């Protein structure tokens, strides 16, 4: 199946493996919770067990350095795409309100980005993420 939109997540390559996974999970949750219609129907197995619904389309995960993450954020915002950010300070917080406060305390050019998620028209996302490597 082909989709007219795309979800891309970029994590900073120099993070520890647990941090890359954590950032990816949080950013995926941002897209799921912030973009209407991204989640499909619930799952069920033949035994009658029910499971939570998931994204209705694939999520591609890329790696980049801090400058590449800044470029992705700027391009995506400039194209009017849905954007989520994860910054270094969020590794030190304990809950959502503190995460929002950490982001709110920093001017956009000074954000210590460790991850960025983007969602938008497929062509715009492709242009925004052009040149980045897929996460190994």
């Amino acid at each position: 199946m082909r989709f007219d939109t795309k979800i891309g997540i970029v994590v900073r390559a120099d993070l520890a493996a647990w941090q890359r996974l954590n950032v990816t999970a949080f950013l995926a949750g941002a897209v799921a919770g912030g973009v209407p219609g991204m989640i499909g129907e619930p799952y069920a197995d033949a035994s009658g067990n029910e499971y939570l619904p998931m994204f209705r389309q694939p999520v591609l995960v890329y790696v980049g350095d801090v400058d590449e993450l800044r470029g992705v954020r700027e391009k995506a915002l400039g194209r009017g795409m849905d954007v989520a950010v994860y910054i270094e300070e969020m590794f030190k917080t304990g809950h959502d309100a503190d995460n929002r406060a950490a982001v709110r305390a920093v001017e956009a050019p000074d954000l210590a980005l460790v991850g960025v998620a983007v969602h938008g028209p497929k062509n715009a996302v492709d242009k925004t993420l052009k040149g980045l490597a897929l996460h190994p």
Side-chain angles (χ1 to χ4, degrees):
M1 174 178 252
R2 298 198 39 98
F3 298 95
D4 58 345
T5 61
K6 191 170 191 175
I7 302 167
I9 296 177
V10 186
V11 294
R12 212 170 67 198
D14 64 344
L15 298 177
W18 74 267
Q19 290 174 313
R20 288 192 306 270
L21 291 169
N22 185 268
V23 169
T24 300
F26 271 91
L27 292 172
V31 175
V35 180
M38 294 288 15
I39 302 300
E41 296 297 320
Y43 287 73
D45 62 29
S47 299
N49 297 302
E50 296 184 10
Y51 304 99
L52 296 172
M54 293 186 258
F55 282 116
R56 61 177 181 79
Q57 68 185 89
V59 178
L60 298 171
V61 181
Y62 300 82
V63 292
D65 61 28
V66 69
D67 290 331
E68 288 171 318
L69 269 71
R70 286 183 180 135
V72 166
R73 187 195 65 79
E74 290 170 13
K75 290 176 197 172
L77 288 173
R79 291 184 168 112
M81 296 165 51
D82 301 310
V83 179
V85 297
Y86 197 106
I87 62 173
E88 284 181 12
E89 290 84 350
M90 291 166 68
F91 287 128
K92 300 173 191 157
T93 63
H95 55 81
D96 191 46
D98 286 347
N99 288 345
R100 285 193 309 279
V103 173
R104 190 178 305 112
V106 183
E107 294 288 331
D110 300 324
L111 291 171
L113 295 170
V114 296
V116 178
V118 297
H119 169 264
K122 184 181 181 311
N123 289 342
V125 173
D126 286 343
K127 288 178 184 176
T128 301
L129 302 177
K130 185 177 182 176
L132 293 175
L134 284 170
H135 191 286

